[in-house]
Amino acid sequence: MQRTLALVFVCFLTAFAGAGPTVAQDDPPRDDIILPGENVDLEEFMWTKRPLVVFADSPADPRYVQQMEYINERLDDLALRDVVVLTDTERGADTALRRELRPRGFMLVLIGKDGTIYLRKPLPWSVREISRVIDKLPMRQQEVRERRGGES
C-alpha cells in the first residue's frame, strides 16, 4: 500500500512538474534568463542578448509581482528571442542600471542587442506584447531569416 501511494505521489509530482510550457529540442536552454541586476553591466550583453530590465521599489510591488508572473509563464518565448531579464527591486540602491535608466517606481525597459532602448513602460506588459515588439526589430527579423535558411 505504501509503495503504491509513493508511486502515485511520484507520478503526480512528475505530471505537475511537466504541466508548464514544454521546451522543444531546438529551443535554447532556459538557464540564467532571470538575473539580479545589482552588479550587472549592460555592456556584457551587447550583441548577444536583449536585456529586459524590471525595476520596482520593492519586490512586494504588485506591478512587479504581476510582471514576473507574466515572465515566468513564458520563459521559453523569451529564451527563443535571446532575452535576459534583469531585476532591480532596491529603491535606494546605487546600481549601474538605476544610474543609467533612471527608473521611478515600477518600470519595464527593453534594450536591444545593439544597446538601444526600444521600450519603456510604467505598467506590466505580457510576454506576448514584449515579443511583438522584439519581433519587429530589424536585428530579430534578420535572425529569423537566417534560422529559416540563410536568406539575406
Side-chain angles (χ1 to χ4, degrees):
M1 177 72 172
Q2 286 180 336
R3 187 179 252 182
T4 303
L5 281 174
L7 182 60
V8 168
F9 183 69
V10 168
C11 289
F12 173 77
L13 287 178
T14 304
F16 181 73
T22 58
V23 178
Q25 289 181 341
D26 294 339
D27 287 347
R30 296 178 1 169
D31 299 343
D32 300 328
I33 290 177
I34 301 174
L35 303 171
E38 300 100 39
N39 299 316
V40 170
D41 179 6
L42 290 173
E43 293 288 322
E44 66 187 89
F45 302 110
M46 191 72 86
W47 304 115
T48 60
K49 295 285 184 185
R50 293 179 178 91
L52 180 66
V53 187
V54 184
F55 289 105
D57 290 343
S58 162
D61 181 329
R63 295 168 297 183
Y64 176 79
V65 171
Q66 180 68 60
Q67 185 64 65
M68 296 312 293
E69 286 175 4
Y70 287 158
I71 288 169
N72 281 301
E73 287 170 1
R74 306 216 27 207
L75 282 173
D76 294 336
D77 292 340
L78 295 174
L80 184 64
R81 289 168 176 83
D82 297 330
V83 171
V84 60
V85 178
L86 306 173
T87 61
D88 187 329
T89 58
E90 296 296 324
R91 179 181 182 188
D94 185 32
T95 64
L97 285 177
R98 284 189 178 269
R99 283 191 304 272
E100 189 169 337
L101 300 173
R102 301 186 181 274
R104 283 187 243 150
F106 177 87
M107 187 168 79
L108 178 70
V109 182
L110 174 65
I111 302 170
K113 287 183 176 183
D114 61 354
T116 302
I117 296 173
Y118 286 100
L119 179 72
R120 282 181 186 261
K121 292 293 174 185
L123 299 170
W125 260 36
S126 73
V127 170
R128 183 176 179 187
E129 293 169 313
I130 295 165
S131 296
R132 284 182 182 164
V133 171
I134 293 171
D135 289 346
K136 290 178 184 176
L137 300 176
M139 188 175 293
R140 172 66 181 155
Q141 291 176 352
Q142 178 183 349
E143 292 167 358
V144 169
R145 282 191 304 269
E146 288 172 359
R147 286 185 184 152
R148 285 188 182 155
E151 299 173 25
S152 296

